Amino acid sequence: MKYFWVFTLIFLLSSCTAKLQSLKTDKDVHLDDGEGYLLMEINTEISLSRLYVSGPTRFSLSYRDLRKGSNYVLINLPAGEYEFIRAEMKDYYINISDDNLDWTFEIKPDAISYVGALQIEKIWDKKFYLELVNKSSMAQEFLESKFQNILNSKQVVYQGPGEDDFFEDIQKLRKKEAK
Amino acid sequence: MKISLIVLFLFSFFSIALASPTPIPTKELFTSSSAASYSVSPESSFIVGYRRVNNLSYLEIVDAKTLVTKELYRFEEDEVLDSYDWVDNDTLLINLSRQHSKSFFLYFKFENGKVRTRKRIIKAKGEILQTLPAIDNKVLFAKNTGEDLDDVDIYLATTQQVYSANFRRAEMFDNELDNAFYYLANPEGEVILSVTFEEETFYYWVLDRKSNEWVRVHTIFNQDYQFNPIGILKNGNLSVLTDKNSNTVQLAEFDINNKTFVKTIFEHPKYDLVGATLNADGTGIESVNYFDHGKLVTEFLNENNAQIYEEIKSKYKNKQVLINSKNKDSSLVIFSLFSSNSSPSYHLYDKNKDKIIYLADTLPGLKDFDLTKSQSLSVKANKNLEIEAILTKPENGNGVLLVEPHGGPIGIRDINSFSRSTQFYASRGFSVLNVNFRGSSGFGKSFQNAGRGQFGKIIEHDISLVVDQVLKTNNFDKVCAIGTSYGGYSAMMLGIYKPDVYDCIISAYGVYDLRLLFNSSNTKTNEFYHKKVEHIVGKDRPALDSFSPFNLSNEVTQPVLLIAGKRDDITGFEQANRMKYALDQSNVQVETVFYENAGHGHHSWYGDRHEHAFIFDYLLRTLDIETPKSESYQQALSDDFVTISEGYYYSNFIGKDPEKAFLYADIARSMGNARATFDVASYFHRGEVVERDIDKALSLYRQSSENGYGQSSLRLGRIYREGKLVPRSTPISHQYFLLAKQQGNQEVLLEISNIYCNNRSPYKNLKSCIDNLTAIDLKRFDYKQSAFATELLSSLVWNFDLKKADKVKLERMLNKVFLIDNINDFKVSPIREGLFYTAWSTVNSVPVINSRHEDKREIELIRRPSYREVFDIGLDYQLDPVSNNDSRRGLVKIKWTHPEMIVKSKGKQTQQKTISYIDLQAESEGKFSVKWQNKTAKGKWKVEIFNLYDRLLYQEEYTLH
């Protein structure tokens, strides 16, 4: 009976969750009012099958963006507060938001919100270490190399852990150098 | 005339020596110490030390009476020594590194030049808190009773009780303290002190003997001062190294009952004490240590031992002395000698014989090189403040000064002692300046605290003060700032502040955006972590931008080399990448070396070698330094180029770049480097980067071989053996193999052994076979090569008729190479017999292994095995020593017989009635796969297991239907 409810809950969770996939082409999609881009990196030592995120739109990322190694994800979402909920592997899952760390982030409208790099390290067997790391400069380099058009049309704002002015600082630096 | 010629000769030799520093090869500097941790037994004459020689790690034992030295315990490949302690005069506690987390007792007898040992792995869960050398065969043990670290029972137990996990008769300490994670006992094994940790606070407790109650004696929050207990004194007071009520760390007496400091035992007016030792009975202080102008000083508070120390000091005037260990009556003292220009060496002082006996050098490879002596200097920062520094200036320097601030910056310091890195640069002509700026440890609390919040301020002011002084009193043509961690930050800031002084900046594993320290990940955004960061960098976060190189990138005018580890979890790789990004935006000439698998530094010596070689090359290129033409300098330089080339060759090191790899190899080749010539030949051989050119490859291989590179001779030997690129020639191949052996190549020993041990070889020869196998060092081989060596051994024991005279040599070889320490004294004990079935499959893409065992001798195979199935018949067994010895490895010869077995060999079908092989493992299996060359061989199978000299140990038959 216990298993019945677990499966039911997982089924319900899965069924009302939008399955999203990262943009593959550098074409600035027409954002609806109140929409913005989410930019994040998923750096995992073990391939995931799903990553669930709650917020104005409850969504999950597909395994294509969650393969072992480094994967950048750029998707358009309704603006608002989101939170990483759960990472699923083939035979196991981790409730991300169970620990005391802050796993929330905000998507700003009409901008690219960089929320950090979700790092998943396997410690042993079914023990994992999760951390949301600020890798703004690498995200900037990623956008420059793969999504220059979107980068040209949208401002990047830091929405990861704490406060960081990296994206503003490099704009200032560019202006200074241009002079 | 004769005299003047000699003078001329001497003069010319002298001038060459003056003009050409002799670079120390990176492999001699950046390598593990070959000796460590020498200590003397509590009350006997035995000395034990850790040795690492030719990739073998072992403990050696020296009898101080006879000076006979023997190997006491050789570590297995997967055993890494963490520490060892004397339990008593003939027992050691060996702790292996945490990765393996295994501890064991080593009991030994060392008599008449012979060593016998017994190893007992500790089965009890928990940890040994303390060995008690004053009590025979007993230790203080914390036995785990629950999941938390502090769920423990404390026992005073014998070693037997601990290794067998049987504490029924052990003496249990009945007054444990809740939440205590540390206990300290006096030499009699009575628990006297414990430490608890709750809510970021350390609590120190002492057990009051009268009331038998724990008394909280001290509390430390946020570690704002030192409180390091040394021991309980005769009067019951605690001796503590502390700076609670003083500027410098002093040795003080702490009254446990009144919880106050009652007396200063020793205090230096300027320097912090860094250590103190108790006397033999543990009730009084024997000595204290501190660094005076960066040199270690020991002051004895006990006259007898002071005399020993002074005697040693008087014999080695320019060396610093550290007493490592002494026996109970101080008649045997182990000490190490070191200085800026000599790596540590271990010695024994025998008081009764009044003799000093050399034991070992930590880096014996440096003996042939002149190391550069460092000098201490100090500069007045103001009327009351002196900044100390260390300048290492080689006699024949190249006019370049490297200003190298240390990391930290708070609570770290530089000392005037042997430094691998400093000697690397100095031997290549560079001078190195290390400054103990405000914030450094060792100079008192106020000096250390004066560096807090002073990133880019007082710290760089202090460094610049010393640099100005050094530049005034010395002639340097060029200056570069170089550093690691905080030193990397400081190097950037020094370059920004003093563009006229610094010609280049080399910054490794540094911080560049100070505000990023507060938001580098969601594990570092909490208040506790922020307070810790603020305690070092200061509270005014907005102001940090003005002192962050990232925000000042457009003020950098010099070329910059940035080095970082992509797995750096101290500063975070983002720091370096951010800096690189900003420098690129500001059009600063920046080079990067980002190590894929390094953290806040390297995990392997190879990484250190590469980093130093790269920096050396960078300095030569950037400062346009002409290198001395001496052979030794060019050899070291070309070796460094080979290291850089290799770094570009591997994909997960700094990023694969075959063009650069080839370029550096080719430069080194043009300098006559034999190894590089081999590498370039390989590029032409493979047709990588350059067009495939076999003639060129062969010509370069020959050139490299003629210049003494064994790998080239080996390659040529193989080329002539295979006959694909040149006409096959066994004699030429043989000659090249012998040349490679002469050139010290290890791998070729397998090829040569194959020539002599192989049953089909025309050169088959028992003596040469054994001799060559004896020279093999298996630890240098990979898995495949080791398997080949075992195959050769199998050929040897099965195919040669071993005479009595051969046996001694053979047994010596088996012991040395294959670690077989039991030839005759074991039996074969089967664990499971019959049919063993294993199959691989996947369920939802997850690999699944299905295995089962059937205990039968008559076996019916219902179906033919598929390619994912294995049917094995036979047995799992273990080799058990017959008498009570501790042998670890034996050797058995296993023979399977099946009358109709058909084996395909070189296209022909030949009848073979037996399959013979050997097994070296203590626990192993003697199984035979019933699927042989795609046929299921039905019929009667007989297994026979023999010892080396063909005594039948076990036999069984299995019938396959």
Side-chain angles (χ1 to χ4, degrees):
Chain A
M1 193 61 181
K2 191 173 119 193
Y3 290 107
F4 170 77
W5 284 114
V6 171
F7 283 119
T8 309
L9 279 170
I10 289 173
F11 175 74
L12 287 172
L13 189 70
S14 311
S15 59
C16 56
T17 302
K19 289 172 188 165
L20 302 178
Q21 216 184 313
S22 180
L23 294 180
K24 298 294 173 214
T25 52
D26 182 16
K27 202 174 159 191
D28 191 6
V29 292
H30 177 73
L31 294 177
D32 288 343
D33 270 355
E35 260 198 346
Y37 285 109
L38 157 72
L39 173 65
M40 68 178 291
E41 184 194 345
I42 296 154
N43 197 332
T44 173
E45 287 185 355
I46 184 163
S47 293
L48 307 177
S49 47
R50 288 261 168 227
L51 176 68
Y52 289 92
V53 181
S54 71
T57 295
R58 193 182 184 93
F59 70 95
S60 74
L61 291 170
S62 87
Y63 72 93
R64 289 180 193 83
D65 293 322
L66 302 169
R67 291 183 184 119
K68 188 177 169 181
S70 168
N71 312 269
Y72 276 94
V73 172
L74 181 67
I75 41 177
N76 50 314
L77 288 167
E81 287 272 351
Y82 289 82
E83 185 176 14
F84 292 108
I85 300 291
R86 202 175 68 199
E88 282 184 7
M89 288 125 216
K90 279 193 175 124
D91 55 349
Y92 192 68
Y93 65 87
I94 310 160
N95 281 329
I96 301 175
S97 52
D98 273 1
D99 63 24
N100 295 324
L101 301 176
D102 184 6
W103 293 101
T104 60
F105 59 89
E106 192 182 344
I107 302 294
K108 295 278 185 190
D110 206 34
I112 304 168
S113 297
Y114 172 67
V115 306
L118 177 65
Q119 305 221 135
I120 302 176
E121 283 175 38
K122 189 175 180 180
I123 302 169
W124 71 80
D125 196 22
K126 286 176 178 170
K127 295 275 178 196
F128 297 89
Y129 178 75
L130 273 71
E131 193 176 7
L132 191 61
V133 182
N134 179 353
K135 291 186 175 178
S136 297
S137 66
M138 281 163 265
Q140 174 71 22
E141 286 170 342
F142 167 76
L143 288 173
E144 285 172 13
S145 67
K146 298 273 163 67
F147 292 94
Q148 190 63 56
N149 287 327
I150 297 178
L151 181 63
N152 288 343
S153 63
K154 295 283 178 291
Q155 195 191 349
V156 189
V157 289
Y158 180 74
Q159 292 299 317
E163 291 168 8
D164 188 9
D165 296 334
F166 171 79
F167 297 108
E168 290 81 2
D169 286 343
I170 57 169
Q171 291 303 332
K172 281 184 218 160
L173 186 63
R174 278 210 193 101
K175 278 178 195 160
K176 229 187 244 180
E177 287 302 315
K179 280 178 194 169
Chain B
M1 184 63 182
K2 202 177 174 184
I3 290 169
S4 61
L5 271 178
I6 291 171
V7 170
L8 187 67
F9 174 74
L10 281 175
F11 180 72
S12 61
F13 177 77
F14 192 54
S15 26
I16 289 168
L18 266 184
S20 311
T22 306
I24 306 170
T26 47
K27 64 173 190 234
E28 299 294 354
L29 275 169
F30 301 102
T31 184
S32 299
S33 295
S34 70
S37 308
Y38 273 78
S39 68
V40 61
S41 57
E43 285 180 272
S44 64
S45 60
F46 300 132
I47 291 149
V48 168
Y50 172 78
R51 301 302 309 264
R52 187 177 165 81
V53 181
N54 294 333
N55 289 331
L56 289 179
S57 299
Y58 59 93
L59 289 175
E60 74 172 15
I61 185 162
V62 183
D63 186 345
K65 281 183 197 156
T66 58
L67 296 182
V68 172
T69 304
K70 289 279 167 186
E71 185 177 306
L72 178 67
Y73 178 81
R74 190 186 295 185
F75 293 97
E76 301 269 356
E77 224 158 301
D78 62 343
E79 292 181 337
V80 180
L81 177 68
D82 180 61
S83 63
Y84 77 87
D85 282 302
W86 288 95
V87 175
D88 52 34
N89 291 315
D90 50 15
T91 312
L92 292 167
L93 165 69
I94 315 267
N95 296 310
L96 300 177
S97 72
R98 273 186 196 171
Q99 199 186 343
H100 309 280
S101 63
K102 200 167 63 173
S103 297
F104 59 89
F105 293 114
L106 189 72
Y107 304 91
F108 68 86
K109 286 259 178 293
F110 186 21
E111 289 166 338
N112 306 321
K114 283 191 177 166
V115 177
R116 281 184 298 138
T117 59
R118 218 155 34 97
K119 172 184 173 181
R120 289 290 177 263
I121 291 171
I122 296 172
K123 289 181 189 154
K125 283 188 177 168
E127 71 169 322
I128 292 178
L129 295 171
Q130 210 174 318
T131 57
L132 302 160
I135 314 173
D136 194 41
N137 197 32
K138 283 199 173 173
V139 295
L140 194 68
F141 189 79
K143 182 176 166 247
N144 287 134
T145 54
E147 286 207 347
D148 291 334
L149 278 176
D150 53 8
D151 290 342
V152 289
D153 283 341
I154 311 293
Y155 290 96
L156 182 64
T158 64
T159 55
Q160 288 77 9
Q161 286 162 344
V162 174
Y163 75 64
S164 61
N166 183 348
F167 292 91
R168 268 177 305 159
R169 291 186 180 178
E171 213 176 298
M172 189 168 157
F173 174 63
D174 58 2
N175 202 351
E176 282 151 26
L177 184 63
D178 285 347
N179 302 322
F181 69 93
Y182 175 76
Y183 287 92
L184 177 78
N186 63 15
E188 286 77 43
E190 294 165 341
V191 174
I192 50 174
L193 187 131
S194 71
V195 185
T196 57
F197 181 71
E198 280 172 88
E199 292 175 358
E200 297 155 29
T201 308
F202 287 97
Y203 299 97
Y204 289 79
W205 304 75
V206 166
L207 189 61
D208 181 13
R209 296 268 177 83
K210 287 175 200 158
S211 63
N212 202 29
E213 281 187 6
W214 285 102
V215 181
R216 195 163 86 192
V217 293
H218 206 74
T219 306
I220 293 188
F221 173 71
N222 210 8
Q223 290 187 304
D224 45 6
Y225 59 87
Q226 285 195 37
F227 186 88
N228 298 327
I230 299 296
I232 302 278
L233 301 170
K234 246 178 204 162
N235 59 10
N237 286 344
L238 191 66
S239 61
V240 185
L241 281 176
T242 183
D243 56 356
K244 184 167 192 281
N245 299 325
S246 56
N247 182 36
T248 56
V249 175
Q250 56 169 232
L251 185 66
E253 226 177 280
F254 185 78
D255 184 329
I256 291 162
N257 298 322
N258 298 326
K259 298 175 193 169
T260 53
F261 289 99
V262 289
K263 189 181 158 191
T264 298
I265 303 171
F266 186 94
E267 182 180 24
H268 191 279
K270 186 176 176 187
Y271 299 119
D272 291 326
L273 298 186
V274 293
T277 56
L278 294 173
N279 57 19
D281 64 8
T283 56
I285 298 294
E286 180 168 276
S287 68
V288 291
N289 308 98
Y290 55 89
F291 287 99
D292 184 343
H293 285 85
K295 290 184 179 177
L296 184 73
V297 175
T298 304
E299 283 204 28
F300 280 84
L301 313 183
N302 165 321
E303 268 183 30
N304 281 343
N305 289 327
Q307 206 183 338
I308 299 171
Y309 180 75
E310 290 308 324
E311 268 182 52
I312 297 168
K313 281 288 289 176
S314 68
K315 281 186 183 159
Y316 302 94
K317 285 199 173 104
N318 295 320
K319 302 264 173 105
Q320 296 164 58
V321 181
L322 178 67
I323 306 283
N324 304 104
S325 161
K326 54 188 186 314
N327 61 357
K328 202 175 171 186
D329 63 3
S330 298
S331 60
L332 295 172
V333 179
I334 308 277
F335 63 94
S336 43
L337 293 174
F338 54 93
S339 66
S340 56
N341 60 345
S342 65
S343 61
S345 55
Y346 287 95
H347 305 261
L348 164 71
Y349 177 69
D350 188 329
K351 194 179 172 185
N352 298 330
K353 293 180 190 164
D354 192 25
K355 239 180 155 179
I356 290 176
I357 296 130
Y358 163 84
L359 294 171
D361 264 312
T362 50
L363 292 173
L366 300 185
K367 268 186 177 167
D368 300 333
F369 298 92
D370 285 331
L371 274 61
T372 306
K373 193 177 173 187
S374 306
Q375 61 188 89
S376 297
L377 55 116
S378 50
V379 176
K380 282 247 171 208
N382 58 46
K383 215 166 79 181
N384 303 315
L385 186 72
E386 218 173 38
I387 305 296
E388 289 188 9
I390 299 148
L391 177 64
T392 309
K393 190 182 173 196
E395 273 184 32
N396 321 303
N398 58 12
V400 179
L401 174 68
L402 303 177
V403 177
E404 190 182 26
H406 64 69
I410 307 300
I412 308 286
R413 62 164 300 155
D414 277 315
I415 53 173
N416 187 338
S417 181
F418 174 76
S419 153
R420 287 177 164 90
S421 183
T422 301
Q423 292 303 328
F424 171 85
Y425 295 119
S427 75
R428 282 157 177 75
F430 298 89
S431 298
V432 180
L433 177 67
N434 303 108
V435 179
N436 279 317
F437 46 76
R438 271 174 276 187
S440 305
S441 63
F443 303 91
K445 212 161 50 180
S446 60
F447 187 91
Q448 184 167 310
N449 288 337
R452 293 187 192 279
Q454 295 300 323
F455 280 47
K457 300 176 195 169
I458 274 178
I459 295 176
E460 281 62 39
H461 167 269
D462 287 352
I463 297 167
S464 298
L465 204 67
V466 178
V467 172
D468 288 349
Q469 175 74 22
V470 167
L471 293 180
K472 262 186 217 164
T473 49
N474 296 269
N475 285 326
F476 288 109
D477 306 325
K478 284 171 180 164
V479 183
C480 284
I482 176 171
T484 295
S485 196
Y486 178 82
Y489 162 86
S490 189
M492 290 295 300
M493 292 307 286
L494 289 169
I496 290 166
Y497 287 152
K498 304 267 180 179
D500 49 332
V501 172
Y502 295 95
D503 298 281
C504 73
I505 298 167
I506 299 167
S507 177
Y509 315 99
V511 284
Y512 308 100
D513 183 351
L514 298 181
R515 285 224 272 172
L516 181 59
L517 294 169
F518 294 91
N519 55 24
S520 61
S521 90
N522 64 342
T523 60
K524 292 173 180 170
T525 47
N526 58 71
E527 206 189 324
F528 175 65
Y529 184 82
H530 282 185
K531 271 187 182 166
K532 276 172 74 174
V533 177
E534 281 174 355
H535 200 44
I536 297 168
V537 300
K539 286 182 180 169
D540 188 359
R541 287 192 216 173
L544 293 176
D545 282 353
S546 311
F547 300 96
S548 292
F550 167 70
N551 297 95
L552 304 170
S553 61
N554 54 352
E555 292 180 34
V556 179
T557 55
Q558 308 88 335
V560 176
L561 172 61
L562 276 181
I563 297 169
K566 288 195 176 176
R567 291 170 178 259
D568 189 339
D569 52 10
I570 307 286
T571 56
F573 176 61
E574 170 67 12
Q575 288 276 0
N577 201 58
R578 192 168 280 206
M579 190 70 233
K580 175 197 151 248
Y581 190 90
L583 289 170
D584 278 339
Q585 296 297 318
S586 303
N587 297 315
V588 175
Q589 186 189 328
V590 57
E591 270 187 55
T592 56
V593 184
F594 291 159
Y595 291 101
E596 297 288 336
N597 289 311
H600 197 59
H602 297 282
H603 306 296
S604 72
W605 288 116
Y606 178 73
D608 286 301
R609 285 179 208 154
H610 181 273
E611 186 177 318
H612 281 82
F614 198 98
I615 292 173
F616 176 40
D617 174 50
Y618 178 80
L619 286 166
L620 295 181
R621 285 188 282 117
T622 309
L623 303 179
D624 201 15
I625 298 168
E626 201 176 325
T627 56
K629 298 289 172 244
S630 69
E631 200 182 312
S632 63
Y633 203 101
Q634 292 298 310
Q635 178 65 47
L637 182 57
S638 63
D639 282 347
D640 287 348
F641 286 160
V642 171
T643 306
I644 296 169
S645 165
E646 272 180 358
Y648 284 122
Y649 187 75
Y650 300 118
S651 55
N652 63 346
F653 190 64
I654 53 170
K656 192 171 170 113
D657 189 336
E659 275 80 17
K660 277 191 183 168
F662 177 79
L663 184 73
Y664 273 98
D666 202 39
I667 296 170
R669 179 204 57 77
S670 69
M671 295 163 77
N673 189 294
R675 161 73 198 267
T677 309
F678 169 82
D679 287 344
V680 173
S682 304
Y683 279 97
F684 282 106
H685 189 165
R686 291 193 302 270
E688 190 184 356
V689 182
V690 288
E691 213 164 292
R692 193 162 194 244
D693 186 336
I694 296 301
D695 287 342
K696 195 157 191 175
L698 287 171
S699 155
L700 288 169
Y701 282 139
R702 287 191 190 105
Q703 195 183 318
S704 169
S705 164
E706 280 160 22
N707 287 332
Y709 191 57
Q711 198 67 22
S712 288
S713 308
L714 170 65
R715 178 70 55 89
L716 285 164
R718 283 177 175 159
I719 287 171
Y720 278 99
R721 188 197 61 197
E722 286 164 5
K724 286 179 188 163
L725 304 177
V726 292
R728 179 180 295 154
S729 168
T730 309
I732 297 178
S733 163
H734 191 188
Q735 268 175 15
Y736 272 119
F737 286 149
L738 291 178
L739 179 62
K741 182 185 173 185
Q742 205 183 318
Q743 289 163 335
N745 187 284
Q746 266 287 320
E747 205 183 330
V748 79
L749 293 172
L750 288 178
E751 295 283 358
I752 295 176
S753 303
N754 189 30
I755 289 173
Y756 298 126
C757 306
N758 196 321
N759 207 24
R760 286 165 298 176
S761 165
Y763 293 92
K764 185 180 163 188
N765 179 305
L766 178 63
K767 185 182 171 300
S768 303
C769 171
I770 295 177
D771 285 350
N772 280 287
L773 281 176
T774 306
I776 282 174
D777 179 2
L778 274 186
K779 283 202 166 181
R780 293 190 184 188
F781 289 168
D782 61 22
Y783 172 74
K784 240 174 143 181
Q785 291 166 326
S786 298
F788 185 38
T790 310
E791 229 176 82
L792 292 172
L793 178 62
S794 179
S795 174
L796 165 64
V797 300
W798 278 108
N799 299 326
F800 285 90
D801 182 20
L802 297 168
K803 302 270 179 326
K804 228 182 180 181
D806 304 321
K807 289 184 180 174
V808 177
K809 280 179 95 177
L810 178 66
E811 287 183 16
R812 198 187 307 142
M813 181 272 284
L814 289 172
N815 184 264
K816 178 189 168 278
V817 181
F818 296 92
L819 308 180
I820 292 164
D821 54 0
N822 192 343
I823 300 291
N824 280 315
D825 185 33
F826 58 81
K827 61 180 180 188
V828 172
S829 313
I831 303 165
R832 293 184 307 170
E833 281 192 78
L835 177 75
F836 298 82
Y837 168 79
T838 313
W840 287 266
S841 61
T842 49
V843 176
N844 297 331
S845 310
V846 178
V848 176
I849 294 173
N850 176 15
S851 60
R852 65 169 198 275
H853 163 243
E854 289 173 31
D855 189 8
K856 295 176 177 173
R857 307 295 175 273
E858 297 285 327
I859 296 155
E860 199 161 335
L861 271 191
I862 297 160
R863 62 176 193 280
R864 287 173 66 85
S866 75
Y867 76 102
R868 282 187 155 181
E869 289 176 305
V870 173
F871 286 89
D872 286 328
I873 54 169
L875 70 159
D876 279 341
Y877 64 83
Q878 63 187 32
L879 302 184
D880 288 327
V882 176
S883 57
N884 191 18
N885 71 38
D886 264 2
S887 57
R888 291 196 254 179
R889 251 179 152 198
L891 181 151
V892 285
K893 294 163 70 174
I894 301 172
K895 187 163 91 174
W896 282 92
T897 312
H898 182 267
E900 294 163 16
M901 206 175 70
I902 293 169
V903 177
K904 267 187 184 178
S905 169
K906 290 178 186 168
K908 291 177 190 170
Q909 290 198 340
T910 50
Q911 288 284 338
Q912 185 181 306
K913 294 195 174 179
T914 61
I915 294 173
S916 318
Y917 56 101
I918 56 165
D919 197 3
L920 310 172
Q921 303 300 322
E923 258 185 53
S924 193
E925 50 190 42
K927 290 180 192 167
F928 186 78
S929 175
V930 299
K931 200 174 79 169
W932 183 256
Q933 301 278 334
N934 297 321
K935 290 185 178 183
T936 304
K938 293 187 176 174
K940 195 167 269 189
W941 287 92
K942 183 180 179 186
V943 63
E944 291 164 286
I945 303 180
F946 304 93
N947 76 0
L948 180 65
Y949 301 125
D950 295 327
R951 184 161 62 84
L952 184 63
L953 302 174
Y954 188 80
Q955 65 175 335
E956 185 59 274
E957 282 186 355
Y958 308 91
T959 310
L960 198 64
H961 303 288

